[in-house]
Amino acid sequence: MASLSSGSSRENKAGFWKKSSSVPGSIKPVYGAQHPPPQSNVNLPGWPQKKEDKGKNNKRDAFHEFENKTSDAWDDGDDDLIHMANLKLSLKDVQTSAKLVLDNHSKKALQKQQDNQPNLKSSSPPQSYQPQHSHHYHQGGPGLGVRLNSGGYQPPKMTSIRYVRNTVPDREAARNEKFQALFSVSSLDLNELRTLCWSGIPKAVRPTAWKILSGYLPTAADRRQETLERKRKEYFGYIDQYYETRYQDLHEETFRQILKDIPRMTSLAHLFQEKAVQEIFERILYIWAIRHPASGYVQGINDLVTPFFVVFLSEYIENDIEVENCDLTELSQETRNLIEADSFWCMSKLLDGIQDNYTFAQPGIQMKVNALRELIKRIDAPLFNHLDRHGVEFLQFSFRWMNNLLMREIPLRCTIRLWDTYQSEINGFADFHLYVCAAFLKRFSEDALREQDFQGILMLLQNLPTLHWKDKEMSELLAEAYKLKYMFADAPRHLLLKS
């Protein structure tokens, strides 16, 4: 965790989160390929070094000033407590809260170490998941992103790759047969596929279903293999054509930012320490940025590759890479190339529908945050009034929800289940996501109402206790979102600002 005693950082960021100040994404631009961030003093491996330009004037770069007011708005790691300290809080309060979090991490790490020793017997029962409406949720530690970004996080031990076998559990066999029968139809009915996928897709057929739902594969069965071969060849043609330009003056800052962001991806911290995996993500993100100059690369896009990569990897291996650490270099280069190309195209299809989230000043996110505010005002007036009374702005906690599609708020397994439904909905990543965020916030309404100060509310909403969520919690969340959609989506004067 970043030191709370770093005075210069605190002075630069002081007052940023005050209600009268600007907040990330409100009026400030987000710099992508067309608006690259300033050069960093960090020397990245293999990066050509430049001589310092002594002729520069002392006028501060606009982005540098913006950067001093806020850190990575998508990274829920080290700087969150510092940000919260500048929000009408005394440093003493923040240090006290930070100490509680650190002490809690230490206790949990010690408990985990003791649990892993076979000769130690505990007289107390194993710690169970606390209900969502527990007032003492802070004792369970902060949310998923902070836990994985904390210094105490240790990746799982290395395991060997287990290749996929053609056996499926009996409970999934019937559903698999329905999907396989649908895939084999000469001209697949996309609406029928969406209906079948809405409540979740079995692991064995998910890769094919996602490729069709995203629009990467055609509905005509006899064209799918030809399309796969052509699109994969096309992607690697882009690699040959563009990837060497990553160190050119026009693009080097974009690529530098990609290199900085990939190791910070929190969904599977151990997986992204592998050089081969990092190189795959570097190529995917850079080629996407080059081909989409209106937005270029923006922090947050890197996370959106992860679910596709993991799902398409599951087509070849049985390892649960959310809990296992396996060396992907054991896979052939040809297999890794197939996963890379498929991930690129499906991510591109997703971003085509939400690209206004990542263009200059991110207008799509601003509209969605405002729409969420209006929706909560209608469906949960006590919560809305509570947030307003304590000066909590929706942008302060829901910006990341919109930017990263809740990936930093829930475990990867839950993200994949959520995306089964998003891809089954028309404009699911844009329109239905709003109702999911509303249901997500409403789920923790009672917890938020118990907090009687700004600090407590924001700590809860930025670090929700979802680490142990599984299909049950996701099904409940989606059911509530579905209800909200049909209550409000077509109602007159539904929202002042629609997404």
Side-chain angles (χ1 to χ4, degrees):
M1 179 170 290
S3 173
L4 292 174
S5 61
S6 53
S8 60
S9 173
R10 210 165 45 245
E11 290 171 7
N12 286 335
K13 298 178 180 180
F16 166 68
W17 277 117
K18 289 180 181 177
K19 192 171 183 180
S20 60
S21 301
S22 60
V23 286
S26 57
I27 57 173
K28 299 286 186 178
V30 175
Y31 292 73
Q34 294 300 300
H35 310 279
Q39 293 185 10
S40 169
N41 293 327
V42 178
N43 294 329
L44 298 172
W47 197 271
Q49 301 301 314
K50 294 178 129 185
K51 294 183 179 179
E52 186 177 352
D53 186 359
K54 297 181 180 179
K56 286 186 177 180
N57 57 37
N58 294 326
K59 185 176 180 180
R60 304 187 72 183
D61 182 88
F63 183 85
H64 185 63
E65 183 178 352
F66 172 72
E67 192 175 40
N68 281 339
K69 290 182 180 179
T70 180
S71 67
D72 183 357
W74 306 268
D75 182 10
D76 46 4
D78 300 341
D79 291 335
D80 279 352
L81 289 176
I82 295 178
H83 285 194
M84 285 183 279
N86 295 320
L87 261 169
K88 304 178 181 177
L89 302 176
S90 68
L91 181 60
K92 181 179 179 181
D93 291 335
V94 177
Q95 288 175 328
T96 301
S97 298
K99 186 176 185 302
L100 288 174
V101 173
L102 290 171
D103 290 344
N104 186 63
H105 277 306
S106 300
K107 290 177 183 178
K108 292 189 75 176
L110 179 61
Q111 182 63 40
K112 183 176 180 181
Q113 183 179 13
Q114 292 174 348
D115 292 343
N116 289 337
Q117 295 180 11
N119 295 328
L120 291 178
K121 294 184 179 180
S122 174
S123 58
S124 60
Q127 185 178 7
S128 59
Y129 173 57
Q130 293 181 350
Q132 68 178 51
H133 298 310
S134 170
H135 178 53
H136 301 289
Y137 61 87
H138 288 306
Q139 295 180 2
L144 176 67
V146 172
R147 295 185 196 188
L148 294 186
N149 272 336
S150 65
Y153 173 74
Q154 295 296 328
K157 294 181 180 180
M158 188 71 73
T159 58
S160 297
I161 282 180
R162 301 188 301 278
Y163 292 93
V164 164
R165 291 170 287 184
N166 293 326
T167 58
V168 295
D170 291 339
R171 58 187 174 83
E172 287 191 0
R175 292 202 72 207
N176 280 345
E177 288 177 6
K178 290 182 180 180
F179 277 95
Q180 295 293 357
L182 193 57
F183 293 156
S184 63
V185 174
S186 58
S187 183
L188 180 148
D189 185 336
L190 197 54
N191 289 328
E192 186 178 350
L193 179 62
R194 288 190 177 119
T195 301
L196 196 57
C197 293
W198 202 98
S199 57
I201 308 172
K203 180 180 178 180
V205 295
R206 182 177 277 127
T208 302
W210 276 28
K211 290 171 188 174
I212 297 174
L213 289 171
S214 67
Y216 174 42
L217 283 185
T219 55
D222 58 353
R223 292 178 48 217
R224 288 177 200 149
Q225 187 58 39
E226 179 271 332
T227 300
L228 280 176
E229 293 173 0
R230 175 172 53 82
K231 298 298 283 185
R232 288 164 175 170
K233 183 178 179 181
E234 185 178 349
Y235 169 71
F236 283 100
Y238 292 144
I239 296 291
D240 294 338
Q241 183 177 359
Y242 297 117
Y243 196 56
E244 298 226 348
T245 67
R246 64 194 184 278
Y247 294 121
Q248 294 179 0
D249 289 344
L250 181 62
H251 305 301
E252 64 177 357
E253 291 301 340
T254 295
F255 189 62
R256 184 191 295 272
Q257 189 63 52
I258 291 171
L259 291 181
K260 288 169 63 178
D261 288 349
I262 289 174
R264 299 190 297 181
M265 296 167 69
T266 59
S267 296
L268 294 165
H270 56 276
L271 181 67
F272 298 118
Q273 299 310 309
E274 296 185 24
K275 183 180 179 184
V277 176
Q278 291 186 353
E279 289 173 348
I280 288 173
F281 276 68
E282 289 166 13
R283 289 190 291 268
I284 289 174
L285 294 169
Y286 182 73
I287 296 302
W288 189 89
I290 291 298
R291 296 188 70 247
H292 295 80
S295 62
Y297 174 75
V298 175
Q299 289 170 306
I301 292 177
N302 53 321
D303 277 338
L304 305 186
V305 186
T306 309
F308 291 116
F309 180 80
V310 171
V311 166
F312 298 149
L313 178 62
S314 72
E315 196 170 0
Y316 302 95
I317 69 173
E318 284 191 342
N319 302 69
D320 182 357
I321 63 172
E322 190 174 18
V323 296
E324 294 184 54
N325 189 1
C326 54
D327 185 0
L328 294 191
T329 58
E330 294 179 22
L331 285 174
S332 68
Q333 184 64 53
E334 180 183 4
T335 298
R336 282 180 278 155
N337 287 347
L338 300 182
I339 296 169
E340 178 178 344
D342 293 347
S343 299
F344 169 82
W345 286 114
C346 288
M347 182 206 72
S348 297
K349 294 289 186 180
L350 184 162
L351 288 172
D352 285 347
I354 58 172
Q355 193 167 353
D356 63 344
N357 283 11
Y358 304 102
T359 53
F360 183 82
Q362 298 182 272
I365 289 180
Q366 294 187 64
M367 288 189 293
K368 289 180 177 67
V369 170
N370 288 334
L372 177 63
R373 183 180 185 277
E374 292 300 320
L375 186 54
I376 293 298
K377 186 176 182 180
R378 290 172 178 242
I379 67 174
D380 197 336
L383 175 61
F384 177 87
N385 294 331
H386 186 65
L387 298 178
D388 186 62
R389 185 165 56 253
H390 290 285
V392 178
E393 300 285 352
F394 275 71
L395 199 60
Q396 292 166 356
F397 61 87
S398 65
F399 179 87
R400 193 172 71 203
W401 298 8
M402 303 300 179
N403 191 75
N404 296 85
L405 299 176
L406 290 176
M407 283 193 61
R408 296 294 179 100
E409 320 309 319
I410 58 178
L412 177 67
R413 59 184 175 273
C414 295
T415 296
I416 290 174
R417 170 63 191 89
L418 180 63
W419 285 25
D420 286 348
T421 300
Y422 278 177
Q423 295 190 90
S424 304
E425 286 276 338
I426 305 297
N427 296 325
F429 291 98
D431 297 336
F432 191 63
H433 180 63
L434 169 65
Y435 300 101
V436 171
C437 288
F440 189 62
L441 179 55
K442 192 172 184 293
R443 186 180 181 93
F444 295 98
S445 177
E446 292 184 21
D447 289 318
L449 289 171
R450 290 190 184 101
E451 296 295 341
Q452 295 303 314
D453 58 33
F454 177 91
Q455 178 186 11
I457 296 171
L458 206 59
M459 284 195 71
L460 168 66
L461 296 180
Q462 288 187 335
N463 302 289
L464 292 165
T466 61
L467 186 62
H468 301 290
W469 274 27
K470 295 183 179 178
D471 279 357
K472 176 181 178 293
E473 287 78 11
M474 293 309 300
S475 297
E476 293 171 353
L477 183 70
L478 288 166
E480 180 65 20
Y482 182 84
K483 182 176 72 173
L484 291 175
K485 174 186 173 182
Y486 280 92
M487 284 173 60
F488 291 98
D490 298 318
R493 300 175 59 83
H494 162 40
L495 297 173
L496 297 179
L497 290 173
K498 294 195 73 173
S499 60

